[in-house]
């Protein structure tokens, strides 16, 4: 299964709805907590690993449709540091799947170049083994000049870990007397050390599977994002669900923009 499935054909009704949605505001940056692969596997009686593979198929559909809808940036929670507490068997399976999929990304470089897609991996890569690290470094390096769209894959990620790294980086800079650590007046200086420093604001965060938690995902970044929780397991999330999420964003768009404007005016 390819990452950016060029052969995914939308039906005429899906095409029609997409055109209608595109008359309204489309989230430029959308993030996903892809939850429910194992419950899906249990529900339909397949192996856990096959459940994760089905989850990957959903991701591929999202990426393909996202390009057509005009998303500029997609961020996915692929593996959290908390997931390291799972059984060794499952971690091994997920690491194998990740390596296989990163290798596939390398094979699909022409597609990444055709659509000018940049791949970034956000997380604490000290947890990655040599092979995974090599693949990640290679794919991020060869796509870094692509600027039409960006896929951020959060791997060995938690927001807590990201914040701790940012604070460590800041205290290192302060130790060199580049700035006074007692004189931090706003959060901009911290934001400058987060993975998202060169990213668009997150417009919409989607979490599947009926859980209504954020699970330590991008907590600095989603203060004013539109949050959409849906009671559908990730492998069952369809293009229609994606349209519904975008529609939810459109319904909330004016209120969120108003709030962001008020906040900017209050600050400056
Ligand atoms: C959450 O469902 C899913 C994951 C922890 C793994 C997600 C991975 C993929 C979709 C494969 C993509 C791979 C790459 C490299 C991007 P869960 O396992 O927590 O299921 P549950 O909520 O039913 O327990």
């Amino acid at each position: 299964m390819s990452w950016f499935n060029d052969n995914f054909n939308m039906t005429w009704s899906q095409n029609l709805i997409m055109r209608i949605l595109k008359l309204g505001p489309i989230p430029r940056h959308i993030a996903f907590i892809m939850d429910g692969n194992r419950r899906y596997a249990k529900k339909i009686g397949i192996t856990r690993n096959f459940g994760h593979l089905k989850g990957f198929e959903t991701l591929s559909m999202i990426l393909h449709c996202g390009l057509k809808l005009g998303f500029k940036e997609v961020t996915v929670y692929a593996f959290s540091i908390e997931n390291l507490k799972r059984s060794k068997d499952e971690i091994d399976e997920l690491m194998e799947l990740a390596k296989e999929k990163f290798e596939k990304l390398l094979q699909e470089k022409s597609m990444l170049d055709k659509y000018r897609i940049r791949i970034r991996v956000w997380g604490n890569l000290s947890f990655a083994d040599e092979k995974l690290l090599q693949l990640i470094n290679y794919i991020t390096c060869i796509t870094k000049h692509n600027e039409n769209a960006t896929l951020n894959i959060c791997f060995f990620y938690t927001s807590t870990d990201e914040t701790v790294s940012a604070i460590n980086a800041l205290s290192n800079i302060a130790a060199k007397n580049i700035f006074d650590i007692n004189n931090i007046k706003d959060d901009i200086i911290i934001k400058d050390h987060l993975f998202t420093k060169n990213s668009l604001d997150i417009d919409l965060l989607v979490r599947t599977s009926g859980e209504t938690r954020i699970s330590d995902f991008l907590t600095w970044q989603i203060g004013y994002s539109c949050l959409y929780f849906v009671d559908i397991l990730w492998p069952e999330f369809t293009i229609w669900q994606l349209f519904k999420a975008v529609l939810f964003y459109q319904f909330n768009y004016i209120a969120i923009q108003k709030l962001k404007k008020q906040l900017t005016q209050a600050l400056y």
Side-chain angles (χ1 to χ4, degrees):
M1 178 97 212
S2 117
W3 281 75
F4 295 88
N5 188 355
D6 231 3
N7 300 318
F8 182 91
N9 288 319
M10 288 191 202
T11 62
W12 72 266
S13 53
Q14 289 167 345
N15 261 309
L16 177 69
I17 299 295
M18 189 178 71
R19 279 167 194 233
I20 295 171
L21 282 175
K22 284 177 86 165
L23 297 174
I26 293 292
R28 293 194 310 152
H29 187 172
I30 180 163
F32 291 93
I33 304 181
M34 313 182 283
D35 199 18
N37 292 353
R38 296 186 300 184
R39 274 168 282 169
Y40 173 76
K42 209 166 171 187
K43 182 174 153 188
I44 67 157
I46 55 174
T47 62
R48 185 180 55 204
N49 204 30
F50 203 58
H52 289 310
L53 270 172
K54 294 303 271 180
F56 182 80
E57 282 177 23
T58 301
L59 175 59
S60 165
M61 176 278 290
I62 297 281
L63 297 177
H64 176 80
C65 299
L67 278 175
K68 290 205 164 180
L69 271 163
F71 300 159
K72 288 283 160 202
E73 205 166 338
V74 174
T75 300
V76 293
Y77 208 1
F79 193 88
S80 107
I81 292 176
E82 287 298 307
N83 290 149
L84 286 167
K85 293 180 184 152
R86 293 188 177 187
S87 72
K88 183 177 178 316
D89 277 359
E90 186 179 358
I91 295 171
D92 289 348
E93 277 168 17
L94 280 166
M95 292 306 127
E96 275 317 300
L97 179 63
K99 282 174 203 164
E100 184 192 308
K101 294 304 174 189
F102 282 119
E103 264 163 10
K104 185 87 185 152
L105 256 187
L106 287 177
Q107 289 159 15
E108 291 178 358
K109 182 174 182 300
S110 57
M111 186 87 92
L112 297 175
D113 289 341
K114 177 175 159 194
Y115 293 109
R116 287 184 293 118
I117 299 166
R118 168 173 46 203
I119 307 292
R120 295 192 290 215
V121 178
W122 293 345
N124 187 338
L125 297 181
S126 68
F127 290 109
D129 69 24
E130 191 60 33
K131 167 101 190 281
L132 186 57
L133 193 61
Q134 261 180 9
L135 285 166
I136 289 173
N137 285 340
Y138 195 45
I139 196 68
T140 50
C141 181
I142 61 173
T143 60
K144 70 176 174 202
H145 301 298
N146 290 342
E147 286 191 344
N148 176 47
T150 304
L151 169 64
N152 306 308
I153 303 168
C154 295
F155 212 93
F156 301 120
Y157 176 89
T158 58
S159 211
T160 305
D161 188 70
E162 180 185 28
T163 311
V164 169
S165 303
I167 292 170
N168 280 335
L170 279 173
S171 60
N172 285 339
I173 300 173
K176 291 175 190 152
N177 288 325
I178 295 172
F179 77 92
D180 178 7
I181 200 137
N182 299 310
N183 199 22
I184 296 180
K185 287 204 167 49
D186 56 44
D187 64 352
I188 291 175
I189 196 150
I190 294 179
K191 284 183 176 163
D192 276 351
H193 289 83
L194 298 178
F195 292 117
T196 38
K197 63 175 183 287
N198 296 317
S199 281
L200 298 164
D201 283 352
I202 295 171
D203 297 313
L204 174 63
L205 169 76
V206 176
R207 179 170 190 155
T208 56
S209 93
E211 304 294 341
T212 48
R213 289 171 281 113
I214 298 301
S215 299
D216 216 349
F217 185 50
L218 302 170
T219 49
W220 272 91
Q221 293 89 344
I222 56 162
Y224 293 91
S225 309
C226 178
L227 307 182
Y228 182 72
F229 298 100
V230 59
D231 194 3
I232 303 247
L233 302 173
W234 176 251
E236 293 177 326
F237 190 84
T238 62
I239 186 168
W240 294 110
Q241 299 298 331
L242 181 67
F243 290 162
K244 269 172 95 173
V246 172
L247 195 62
F248 179 82
Y249 170 75
Q250 294 184 337
F251 275 129
N252 288 283
Y253 180 78
I254 292 177
I256 292 177
Q257 295 312 309
K258 219 166 136 183
L259 204 68
K260 276 187 170 175
K261 204 168 159 196
Q262 278 169 3
L263 189 84
T264 323
Q265 282 167 352
L267 282 175
Y268 303 103

